[in-house]
Amino acid sequence: MGTGFAAAQPLLIGLLLLWSSYGKFAEPQQADRTALPRLVGESRAKPAYQAVAAVEAIIALALLLPPVWAIEAVAAVALSIGFTGFLIYSKVVVPEASCGCAGKSAKPVGRRAIARALLLLATAALATTATTGWWSAGPAVLVLVVEAAVFVMLSAELDRYWLLPIRRFRIRLSHPYAGTASSTAPLVATQRRVLLSPAYRAVDGYLRSDIHDYWDDDDWRYLSYIARYDGRRATAVFAVPHHDSTPESVRVAVVDETSGLTLYRPTVLATV
């Protein structure tokens, strides 16, 4: 089983790298939201982003096709180390930068992204011990379902497919201000707009509650959530215009609970 488990890893890694590569080729503008402009310069950020995508695709195909024993797994290890180092650099030097790993996501690099890179590194290291192809792994391939589920849970890009529906269902069952909204708009409608907005995706990793408070002021409704930012107690405040129903019109700021200073305000928000 242990040998089969190691042999199965290239299948998972190859599929993950193909997904990541496709996301970079499909959305090259995502490079501008990462730390690449700071690291290699604005003019070279997009070419560097696409070069990484090409390397991912080559390694993925090498892992999925008949193996050249261990060489492609070692390459995957080196790539994973690079991913991890880049994400740590982004977290420390450009904290507002997004991961840019795959797909559209305006969320800053967080623990989940770094944990995903470390998990990819661990699976690649295990793949270097394989002595047969993934198609010979037998029942061990079924274990990849569990591993894939863990990768999904660590991928902010996929939250809208599973995490947000769960949160919406939970809110429908019980939310703290049901039936108390003003006559301007039902609170549940405002909440739905927030949940569907790029602003919510940009900060949901910091949120620690459902709606904590809300109020109307002229043409805007404000919703606050308890949050934590860099280990500090904070409040996330969403501004939702009454006369613009598009999710992209929602704005958000994370402010320090004690001083009231703005800790984070995403200025460029990705759309779905």
Side-chain angles (χ1 to χ4, degrees):
M1 180 69 175
T3 302
F5 183 57
Q9 299 309 306
L11 174 60
L12 177 64
I13 299 169
L15 293 176
L16 288 171
L17 291 181
L18 279 180
W19 169 58
S20 179
S21 174
Y22 171 78
K24 291 179 176 65
F25 280 128
E27 301 289 342
Q29 66 273 17
Q30 286 287 105
D32 297 333
R33 299 190 177 97
T34 71
L36 279 175
R38 176 71 174 271
L39 185 63
V40 302
E42 292 186 5
S43 62
R44 292 186 289 272
K46 191 175 294 184
Y49 193 63
Q50 292 177 313
V52 172
V55 171
E56 287 177 320
I58 291 170
I59 295 176
L61 292 175
L63 288 165
L64 294 173
L65 295 175
V68 187
W69 306 122
I71 295 177
E72 62 268 43
V74 171
V77 168
L79 186 65
S80 301
I81 292 173
F83 284 160
T84 305
F86 176 72
L87 292 177
I88 293 174
Y89 169 85
S90 301
K91 178 73 172 174
V92 174
V93 180
V94 194
E96 70 277 9
S98 66
C99 172
C101 301
K104 294 180 179 180
S105 177
K107 295 179 182 178
V109 172
R111 296 176 183 175
R112 291 169 68 195
I114 295 174
R116 181 176 61 182
L118 289 172
L119 181 57
L120 182 64
L121 174 58
T123 57
L126 180 60
T128 62
T129 67
T131 58
T132 185
W134 58 264
W135 51 86
S136 303
V141 173
L142 298 177
V143 181
L144 297 187
V145 176
V146 177
E147 290 186 82
V150 175
F151 273 106
V152 168
M153 288 188 289
L154 293 175
S155 299
E157 301 89 348
L158 300 178
D159 282 354
R160 63 181 179 271
Y161 298 113
W162 70 278
L163 185 57
L164 290 184
I166 291 175
R167 287 177 173 170
R168 290 167 191 158
F169 178 71
R170 184 183 64 188
I171 290 168
R172 289 192 193 101
L173 291 179
S174 174
H175 63 83
Y177 291 100
T180 63
S182 70
S183 58
T184 306
L187 179 60
V188 67
T190 307
Q191 190 173 44
R192 176 174 174 79
R193 289 173 56 193
V194 168
L195 289 174
L196 293 174
S197 69
Y200 187 88
R201 294 195 296 275
V203 302
D204 71 337
Y206 306 135
L207 304 183
R208 297 295 183 268
S209 74
D210 288 330
I211 296 175
H212 181 62
D213 195 6
Y214 81 99
W215 62 97
D216 291 298
D217 187 5
D218 294 331
D219 294 330
W220 295 81
R221 170 167 289 169
Y222 298 92
L223 279 67
S224 71
Y225 291 69
I226 296 172
R228 289 193 72 84
Y229 186 88
D230 282 347
R232 303 163 68 174
R233 291 177 59 85
T235 300
V237 181
F238 291 85
V240 185
H242 287 307
H243 303 300
D244 186 344
S245 61
T246 62
E248 292 75 18
S249 65
V250 177
R251 294 293 177 262
V252 66
V254 179
V255 299
D256 185 272
E257 191 167 293
T258 303
S259 66
L261 295 176
T262 299
L263 302 175
Y264 173 59
R265 178 188 290 118
T267 54
V268 179
L269 298 173
T271 59
V272 177

